[in-house]
Amino acid sequence: MKIFNPATEELIQEMAEDDKLSVEKKYEDLHAAQPAWRRIPLKERITILQRFSELLEENLEQIALILTQEIGKPLQQSRNEIKGGIARIQWLTGNAEKYLSDEIMKSEKGLEEKISYEPLGVICNISAWNYPYLVGINVFVPALLAGNAVMYKPSEYAVLTGLAIQDLLQQSGVHENIFKVAVGGKEVGELLLQLPFDGYFFTGSYQTGKYIYEKVAPKMVPCQCELGGKDPLYVTDDISDVKAVAAATADGAFYNNGQSCCSVERIYVHEKKYDQYVDEFVNEVKSYKAGLPLEEGVYIGPLTRKEQLNTIEQQVKDAVEKGAQIKTGGKKIEGKGYYFEPTVLTDVNHTMSVMKEESFGPVIGIMKVKDDEEAVQLMRDTEYGLTASVYGNSKERAEKILEQIDAGTGYWNCCDRVSAALPWGGRKHSGIGVTLSHAGLRAFTRPKAYHLKG
Ligand code: NAD
């Protein structure tokens, strides 16, 4: 397999992919080693994962560089991602004892009723490239804390990061037969689906997620899918600082080049604030510095995958043909690297793919609405259900709107954020199951009921 730098199109490294025999061997090693890992006291597993987070901190610059080189994320955003991962590990390790220890539900003379949270066994994590630390940590850290062994398949676009994670986990004390990386793309993913894992945890697109969910179903083991989104954001008429709201919401749309599952993907603005908001938003986007992701101050790097340039180009073309206006951007940036100009479209509507299909790139459509009712109707008009956001001065008004949206997360005066203490998961085509929070810690366990008499 060849790994290219998306900013320069240079070959970074070539390496051998896994094959049927090698993944089978890795699975057998994991399966044989897992019972011993499970028997290690939880406190010790917590200490090991805390050491992993210290190693992420100690190696921050080096691993941020690897991440930037292989996926093209601006260096500061790579550092931010790893720091965000460290904060998540702190929450997960800090709460593991509370949520993974046995719970005595009843204790009276002659009878104890107890719940024990047993690990699933050997789990398979097939992952995405856009936030390999964050989406990886959501899965393999709680899985390891709960006593599982993990086969981790990083995306073919984030293999070097996957191997760096493996190296640091081993240095922190996770045995080499408890966490293993499967190297390769779709074909290696397919091989993993043929093995008898005790749970599958997938992060990626709806198309792949649906396929994996169907394939795993006959195994009768848990299969969680964290998938894409078309996340809406509504700006009401009672915002006071339009410039600040425009800047914050543009960041929600363009951070990591729009390649976040919870990127703001479509914006609705109350007609009373529409013109002013669009002006401020476009000014903000025009101020973004595009360039080589290793240069400090660059906010827009290349897209990670070359094919995505065509998806964005097609969405813009389709929108313009149906009457949209390009306020800024609109085309590929010529030269080396997979660059697309940050693009703002107005006069958009829901016949356009840019308002219905995941863009996963630096393009956003802004649409005028007359009231909250119209905003809600448009926000709900999607097959996805990851996040939704409302900006305005009234918490009550925002909550009333958000409760009508069928999404896993609601935001008021913020967007594109994740908290380790809260469940993270999508509805409808955005997925099934949650990671993070107490529910995400327990997602890697099976509760066993004990009725103890005597
Ligand atoms: P993808 O679906 O193309 O690939 C994801 C993973 O699946 C990769 O490791 C890939 O090698 C593997 N894969 C592909 N085909 C397979 C098959 N037939 N069998 C087994 N494995 C297979 O997605 P991507 O491009 O890596 O990630 C982008 C998508 O992920 C976007 O839709 C984004 O919104 C979503 N995402 C969601 C979340 C979330 O938390 N909800 C987080 C990050 C990314």
Side-chain angles (χ1 to χ4, degrees), residues 125 127-128 131-142 152 165 203:
N125 178 201
S127 202
Y131 286 93
Y133 282 96
L134 293 177
V135 298
I137 284 167
N138 286 2
V139 174
F140 64 71
V141 169
Y152 174 61
I165 288 171
T203 309

Side-chain angles (χ1 to χ4, degrees), residues 125-131 135 138 153-157 184-193 202-209 211-212 215 225-229 259-262 265 305 358 360 384 386 424-426 430-431 435:
N125 178 201
I126 299 179
S127 202
W129 48 265
N130 60 334
Y131 286 93
V135 298
N138 286 2
K153 194 193 95 53
S155 160
E156 52 274 42
Y157 296 97
K186 179 179 170 175
E187 293 72 24
V188 173
E190 291 273 0
L191 293 172
L192 297 176
L193 300 181
F202 171 73
T203 309
S205 61
Y206 165 69
Q207 288 73 16
T208 314
Y211 175 80
I212 289 178
K215 279 267 173 177
C225 295
E226 306 218 325
L227 311 176
Q259 300 171 119
S260 308
C261 50
C262 53
E265 285 252 342
R305 292 167 308 166
E358 190 177 41
F360 222 58
Y384 290 103
L386 194 57
W424 181 250
S430 292
T435 53

Side-chain angles (χ1 to χ4, degrees), residues 341-413:
E341 295 173 345
T343 300
V344 180
L345 300 169
T346 56
D347 299 279
V348 290
N349 62 53
H350 278 213
T351 67
M352 300 171 184
S353 60
V354 74
M355 298 302 277
K356 296 288 284 179
E357 287 160 26
E358 190 177 41
S359 305
F360 222 58
V363 59
I364 189 82
I366 307 180
M367 192 169 168
K368 192 192 284 185
V369 294
K370 65 176 186 308
D371 54 22
D372 293 2
E373 199 183 323
E374 188 184 8
V376 167
Q377 182 230 321
L378 289 164
M379 289 168 92
R380 287 171 58 93
D381 181 26
T382 176
E383 285 170 336
Y384 290 103
L386 194 57
T387 81
S389 174
V390 175
Y391 276 70
N393 285 336
S394 162
K395 181 169 172 240
E396 198 189 345
R397 180 176 174 187
E399 283 189 309
K400 193 173 157 217
I401 293 167
L402 290 171
E403 72 191 20
Q404 296 174 71
I405 313 295
D406 196 6
T409 292
Y411 301 116
W412 174 48
N413 289 338

Side-chain angles (χ1 to χ4, degrees), residues 217-230:
K219 296 180 198 276
M220 294 289 186
V221 297
C223 182
Q224 281 200 188
C225 295
E226 306 218 325
L227 311 176
K230 191 70 195 168

Side-chain angles (χ1 to χ4, degrees), residues 124-341:
C124 175
N125 178 201
I126 299 179
S127 202
W129 48 265
N130 60 334
Y131 286 93
Y133 282 96
L134 293 177
V135 298
I137 284 167
N138 286 2
V139 174
F140 64 71
V141 169
L144 291 170
L145 285 169
N148 298 277
V150 178
M151 179 83 90
Y152 174 61
K153 194 193 95 53
S155 160
E156 52 274 42
Y157 296 97
V159 175
L160 299 177
T161 292
L163 293 170
I165 288 171
Q166 174 174 256
D167 185 32
L168 295 180
L169 279 169
Q170 281 180 15
Q171 283 183 45
S172 61
V174 176
H175 191 273
E176 61 174 342
N177 288 339
I178 289 300
F179 180 92
K180 283 190 182 287
V181 169
V183 174
K186 179 179 170 175
E187 293 72 24
V188 173
E190 291 273 0
L191 293 172
L192 297 176
L193 300 181
Q194 290 164 24
L195 290 167
F197 285 98
D198 301 301
Y200 286 81
F201 294 81
F202 171 73
T203 309
S205 61
Y206 165 69
Q207 288 73 16
T208 314
K210 176 176 175 284
Y211 175 80
I212 289 178
Y213 200 59
E214 285 171 357
K215 279 267 173 177
V216 171
K219 296 180 198 276
M220 294 289 186
V221 297
C223 182
Q224 281 200 188
C225 295
E226 306 218 325
L227 311 176
K230 191 70 195 168
D231 296 0
L233 182 144
Y234 172 39
V235 179
T236 64
D237 54 343
D238 68 357
I239 50 164
S240 18
D241 189 343
V242 180
K243 191 176 165 60
V245 170
T249 53
D251 185 49
F254 289 96
Y255 191 83
N256 196 26
N257 228 344
Q259 300 171 119
S260 308
C261 50
C262 53
S263 280
V264 176
E265 285 252 342
R266 50 201 173 106
I267 298 178
Y268 306 97
V269 187
H270 195 285
E271 58 188 9
K272 285 190 192 152
K273 287 287 186 316
Y274 179 81
D275 290 339
Q276 202 189 343
Y277 175 85
V278 169
D279 284 349
E280 295 289 3
F281 191 96
V282 171
N283 284 340
E284 176 69 17
V285 174
K286 281 183 175 165
S287 77
Y288 291 157
K289 185 175 168 194
L292 287 172
L294 282 177
E295 264 176 41
E296 296 290 349
V298 162
Y299 180 78
I300 299 283
L303 288 162
T304 305
R305 292 167 308 166
K306 195 175 184 180
E307 315 86 79
Q308 200 64 12
L309 288 171
N310 295 334
T311 307
I312 308 293
E313 202 169 41
Q314 282 305 316
Q315 288 195 346
V316 173
K317 185 167 172 278
D318 168 70
V320 170
E321 279 170 7
K322 291 172 180 163
Q325 300 284 324
I326 299 176
K327 289 288 182 183
T328 184
K331 54 184 192 309
K332 293 179 196 168
I333 301 177
E334 293 307 324
K336 286 278 179 209
Y338 315 142
Y339 285 88
F340 201 95
E341 295 173 345

